[in-house]
């Protein structure tokens, strides 16, 4: 599946798929993900559903996708807490532009997804708006400081949520990130208790294994299972 590039605001977004789609899949992406985007979209396309996939680049991964400021967890770069600005860009520019220029149906089902911090961003964004039909959060950074407490006060508003984690991710020497396993189990239990259509899948390996295919599986589940 070949990509076309569409300039939205000041960002070159990669668009795959077809107009008149039933689903609009949105993924915030970093430079490190663009090389494997083709394989991810090819894997998503194994679904029988008609979709349009938009990869929206972010300039600073740690800043653009973090819901609030936090100190560095590894390396020296902290988190700038600019997720609100990123969400506004999505809702005020990206989604209207895609609908208008690609003749998407007004009632197209929008699924926001992503890997790692982009997965956390998708979960956080769905606490801020009921715009999204589903969230595809692959190995989301639910270890992020303050996330679980925030989630108690601000429930996720979408009904269809996919969660996954690599089975080695919680076995890290980084004390902040080691809580990811307990946090995602708790989050899954809370969502099920609230009656959400939510699944949680373990993948083999650590955080950096098969990120493209894990993300594809997340998007595909939301399209196929949320009936």
């Amino acid at each position: 599946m070949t990509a076309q590039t569409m300039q939205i605001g000041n960002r070159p977004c990669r668009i795959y798929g077809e107009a008149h789609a039933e689903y609009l899949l949105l993924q915030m992406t970093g430079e490190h993900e663009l090389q494997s985007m083709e394989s991810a979209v090819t894997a998503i396309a194994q679904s029988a559903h008609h979709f349009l996939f938009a990869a929206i680049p972010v300039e600073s991964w740690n800043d653009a996708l973090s819901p609030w400021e936090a100190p560095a967890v590894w390396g020296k770069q902290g988190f700038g807490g600019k997720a609100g600005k990123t969400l506004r860009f999505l809702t005020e520019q990206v989604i209207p532009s895609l609908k208008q220029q690609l003749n998407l149906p007004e009632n197209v089902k929008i699924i926001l997804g992503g890997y790692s911090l982009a997965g956390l961003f998708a979960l956080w964004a769905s606490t801020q708006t009921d715009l999204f039909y589903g969230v595809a959060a692959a190995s989301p950074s639910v270890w992020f400081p303050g996330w679980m407490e925030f989630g108690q006060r601000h429930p996720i508003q979408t009904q269809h949520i996919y969660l996954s984690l690599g089975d080695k991710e919680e076995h890290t020497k980084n004390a902040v990130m080691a809580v990811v396993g307990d946090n995602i189990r708790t989050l899954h239990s809370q969502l099920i208790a609230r009656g959400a259509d939510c699944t949680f899948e373990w993948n083999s390996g650590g955080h950096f294994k098969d990120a493209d295919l894990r993300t594809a599986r997340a998007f595909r589940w939301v399209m196929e299972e949320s009936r």
Side-chain angles (χ1 to χ4, degrees):
M1 194 176 284
T2 54
Q4 57 174 306
T5 301
M6 180 185 294
Q7 194 77 12
I8 302 177
N10 61 349
R11 304 191 202 187
C13 301
R14 286 196 196 181
I15 314 295
Y16 301 81
E18 52 199 310
H20 312 297
E22 183 184 1
Y23 294 94
L24 171 59
L25 314 182
L26 302 174
Q27 181 179 344
M28 309 310 296
T29 56
E31 280 291 325
H32 60 288
E33 296 179 304
L34 293 177
Q35 296 88 343
S36 58
M37 200 55 65
E38 303 274 343
S39 61
V41 175
T42 299
I44 296 170
Q46 292 172 11
S47 165
H49 296 287
H50 299 289
F51 69 89
L52 189 85
F53 178 95
I56 302 115
V58 296
E59 289 179 4
S60 173
W61 180 262
N62 278 18
D63 292 343
L65 300 177
S66 50
W68 46 81
E69 292 184 11
V73 173
W74 68 93
K76 294 182 179 178
Q77 188 185 1
F79 300 90
K82 296 181 179 176
K85 183 179 178 182
T86 302
L87 180 58
R88 283 193 300 276
F89 178 67
L90 269 186
T91 57
E92 296 173 9
Q93 294 190 57
V94 173
I95 293 170
S97 296
L98 292 173
K99 281 186 172 182
Q100 182 180 11
Q101 296 185 44
L102 297 170
N103 298 317
L104 291 171
E106 191 54 39
N107 64 345
V108 67
K109 295 174 179 138
I110 304 172
I111 301 171
L112 180 61
Y115 196 82
S116 191
L117 199 57
L120 180 78
F121 170 76
L123 292 168
W124 172 84
S126 68
T127 71
Q128 304 297 297
T129 175
D130 61 1
L131 177 67
F132 303 112
Y133 174 78
V135 164
S139 286
S141 304
V142 293
W143 50 261
F144 195 80
W147 165 253
M148 296 302 287
E149 295 80 4
F150 176 86
Q152 290 284 355
R153 302 191 306 273
H154 303 87
I156 288 170
Q157 298 180 46
T158 181
Q159 273 298 103
H160 311 295
I161 307 110
Y162 174 98
L163 303 170
S164 71
L165 202 66
D167 58 13
K168 293 183 180 176
E169 291 194 55
E170 61 187 326
H171 304 297
T172 172
K173 293 176 182 175
N174 186 307
V176 175
M177 300 175 74
V179 301
V180 69
D182 288 341
N183 284 5
I184 205 164
R185 290 183 191 94
T186 300
L187 178 60
H188 177 237
S189 298
Q190 290 171 345
L191 288 166
I192 292 294
R194 287 209 295 263
D197 173 26
C198 178
T199 194
F200 172 40
E201 186 171 23
W202 286 103
N203 295 304
S204 63
H207 186 66
F208 298 101
K209 184 182 178 187
D210 299 331
D212 52 345
L213 300 180
R214 292 182 186 181
T215 308
R217 197 151 62 237
F219 277 115
R220 213 164 56 226
W221 182 88
V222 180
M223 286 194 293
E224 291 175 353
E225 300 296 329
S226 49
R227 295 284 120 207

